[in-house]
Amino acid sequence: MMKSKRAHPPDGGYSWVVVMSAFFIMGLTAAVLKNFGLFFQEIQNHFGVLTSTTSWVASTCIAMFHVGGPVASALTLKFSQRAVIMSGGLLAAAGMILASLALNLPWLYLTMGILQGTGISFSWIPANSMVNHYFVRWRPIAYAIASSGECVFSVAFSPFFQWLIDSYGWRDALFLIGGLQLNLCICGALMRPLESKKTPIMECKDTPTGESTSQRNKIFYCSLLRMPELFLYIVFAIFAAVGFFVLPLFLVPFANSLGIDKYWPASILSVLALTDLAGRLFCGWLANMRMLRNLQLLAMVTVMLGVTLLLLPLSQDYWGVLIFSGLYGFLFGCVVAIHVISIVDIVTLDGFDIGLGLFMLFRSVGGFVGPPAAGWLVDQTSNFSNAFYFSGLCLIASSVFVVLVDRLVQKRTVALPDCKVSEDGERML
């Protein structure tokens, strides 16, 4: 009996075209989202609304980016990464172009929020999938290079978007950015699906005979939801996300509270982006050395990231804030470089697409809880330091779940000799 199976990851050649395509996809999606703040004051002044009301534009986009994860994963399995990325590019571009009409604020919730967020999700998720499917030996460094597109484009887009706003106005700037995002369709077209090959089906000892391939796949995907390893990793994602989004939100107000001139915090944000890039590339290289398991390395850098946030309030001047922010950026980049590829270690490459979608979906909970909770602490105590303490403790707590996941994965590897996992992360049945 034969079944269709993806070809073995080539680990070279056209794989690097996939990496560069993913690099641009990360830049045209996540980096655009990171620079939404440049439009915040313009939108607020145009409609004359409260800050909290305006913030729902970005919040809606972030929500759709995460919630769209499982949908993007399902569509990837149904069609292909190429088709989903190209459709995501059309949605993202349409969202920005239609937003330039600026009919009213709910219109921006629909366009910059729902359409743009869904388009980003449909492009970002399959791009991650392609990089992981195309590599085995060089997977960590390949993903680090691809994800660094977010950092590189964030640094470049900040002055570029501001120039567009100053030169053409915020509405025309949105229109031009939408046109720029049409390049996502070109990037998607370069994502050539791996050819399938026919291989004989070999059953595990406990696999019932007579089941069709689709039935076995459904059973496998449903079983992911019951895996304690994946459940604990999702808990890690929630706690980590609570901590991730606090520093970018409160760093500038904290610096201003120390009496630092209003122009200097901008340089701190630039250093944050550059050290983030360095951290991604370094940790990708380190993970490729195979001196530590990915989950071990992830637990270590997450703890160090949390400790850095706990120490940040000790800074009392520009240079102190700059040093700790740079260290935070580097360690944050290290976490980002390996937290997605670690999903392969947990659910294997067969379950990666679904696992990533679930990971993104539940991570949104932490993203929504973290900033308001930290803001409440600041309001109650009138001290920005408490926001960083809260964030650091959440990150340290999240590392405990990574350690538990690593232990369970190692026990599973020893306990299941009949269904081993190959080097590229596929199930060997």
Side-chain angles (χ1 to χ4, degrees):
M1 186 176 180
M2 307 293 289
K3 71 171 182 177
S4 179
K5 180 182 178 181
R6 280 193 181 95
H8 192 276
D11 238 346
Y14 196 82
S15 302
W16 296 109
V17 176
V18 170
V19 170
M20 291 312 300
S21 179
F23 176 90
F24 282 93
I25 290 172
M26 301 300 176
L28 292 169
T29 55
V32 171
L33 180 56
K34 276 190 171 182
N35 282 281
F36 263 24
L38 295 172
F39 295 91
F40 189 93
Q41 195 68 48
E42 302 289 340
I43 294 173
Q44 185 178 11
N45 292 338
H46 181 82
F47 292 106
V49 294
L50 297 173
T51 299
S52 57
T53 306
T54 309
S55 66
W56 278 105
V57 176
S59 296
T60 304
C61 185
I62 294 172
M64 294 307 301
F65 172 39
H66 287 86
V67 173
V71 180
S73 297
L75 291 175
T76 294
L77 294 172
K78 178 69 174 177
F79 302 102
S80 68
Q81 289 94 341
R82 171 185 283 171
V84 179
I85 291 172
M86 294 178 72
S87 64
L90 292 174
L91 286 173
M96 285 303 221
I97 292 172
L98 292 174
S100 67
L101 299 175
L103 301 180
N104 48 49
L105 205 55
W107 177 256
L108 293 187
Y109 296 157
L110 172 64
T111 53
M112 286 185 72
I114 296 176
L115 283 180
Q116 177 69 197
T118 304
I120 289 176
S121 183
F122 280 19
S123 299
W124 192 90
I125 296 290
N128 279 275
S129 173
M130 285 295 284
V131 173
N132 280 274
H133 281 294
Y134 257 87
F135 286 90
V136 180
R137 175 68 181 89
W138 302 106
R139 182 179 290 149
I141 191 64
Y143 180 76
I145 293 172
S147 67
S148 66
E150 176 184 337
C151 308
V152 174
F153 277 80
S154 291
V155 174
F157 278 167
S158 182
F160 176 58
F161 286 1
Q162 188 62 59
W163 176 79
L164 289 177
I165 294 171
D166 293 340
S167 301
Y168 302 102
W170 70 274
R171 295 172 62 181
D172 288 341
L174 290 178
F175 185 89
L176 293 172
I177 293 170
L180 187 64
Q181 285 187 309
L182 284 173
N183 286 290
L184 287 167
C185 298
I186 299 175
C187 295
L190 294 173
M191 292 296 198
R192 186 171 66 197
L194 287 171
E195 295 181 359
S196 299
K197 60 182 180 180
K198 297 292 183 178
T199 58
I201 294 177
M202 298 178 63
E203 308 288 350
C204 288
K205 291 182 178 179
D206 59 347
T207 302
T209 58
E211 289 185 347
S212 67
T213 302
S214 61
Q215 287 176 320
R216 277 193 301 274
N217 286 336
K218 288 179 181 179
I219 292 172
F220 173 67
Y221 294 134
C222 289
S223 70
L224 293 180
L225 300 174
R226 299 194 297 269
M227 289 181 63
E229 300 96 321
L230 182 59
F231 173 77
L232 290 173
Y233 199 66
I234 287 174
V235 176
F236 151 74
I238 294 172
F239 273 87
V242 171
F244 279 166
F245 296 99
V246 170
L247 182 130
L249 185 63
F250 292 99
L251 181 60
V252 172
F254 173 68
N256 292 334
S257 71
L258 297 177
I260 298 175
D261 186 84
K262 65 178 182 178
Y263 292 105
W264 286 108
S267 65
I268 296 176
L269 294 177
S270 297
V271 170
L272 193 67
L274 292 174
T275 54
D276 182 0
L277 171 62
R280 294 184 193 219
L281 296 177
F282 171 78
C283 200
W285 169 81
L286 184 61
N288 236 99
M289 299 294 290
R290 303 293 199 275
M291 291 185 292
L292 294 169
R293 294 189 297 273
N294 289 334
L295 290 168
Q296 287 179 317
L297 184 58
L298 179 60
M300 291 172 57
V301 294
T302 303
V303 169
M304 290 189 285
L305 184 64
V307 171
T308 300
L309 281 169
L310 294 178
L311 296 176
L312 177 62
L314 297 177
S315 307
Q316 295 301 317
D317 55 21
Y318 169 77
W319 291 107
V321 175
L322 184 69
I323 291 171
F324 279 109
S325 298
L327 182 58
Y328 172 89
F330 180 82
L331 292 170
F332 177 82
C334 290
V335 172
V336 172
I338 55 176
H339 79 301
V340 169
I341 62 173
S342 295
I343 297 174
V344 178
D345 300 332
I346 299 169
V347 300
T348 76
L349 193 57
D350 288 336
F352 174 77
D353 295 323
I354 295 295
L356 178 60
L358 293 172
F359 178 86
M360 293 295 295
L361 173 64
F362 288 103
R363 192 176 75 165
S364 64
V365 176
F368 285 131
V369 171
W376 179 82
L377 286 174
V378 172
D379 290 338
Q380 294 298 313
T381 62
S382 300
N383 189 344
F384 287 103
S385 298
N386 291 319
F388 300 126
Y389 294 146
F390 169 71
S391 177
L393 290 174
C394 287
L395 283 165
I396 293 173
S398 73
S399 66
V400 175
F401 296 99
V402 179
V403 173
L404 293 176
V405 172
D406 185 52
R407 294 288 299 273
L408 288 174
V409 169
Q410 293 308 304
K411 287 183 178 180
R412 183 185 67 194
T413 302
V414 174
L416 296 177
D418 296 321
C419 293
K420 297 180 181 179
V421 177
S422 66
E423 184 185 3
D424 63 355
E426 293 185 3
R427 292 174 297 163
M428 295 175 64
L429 302 181

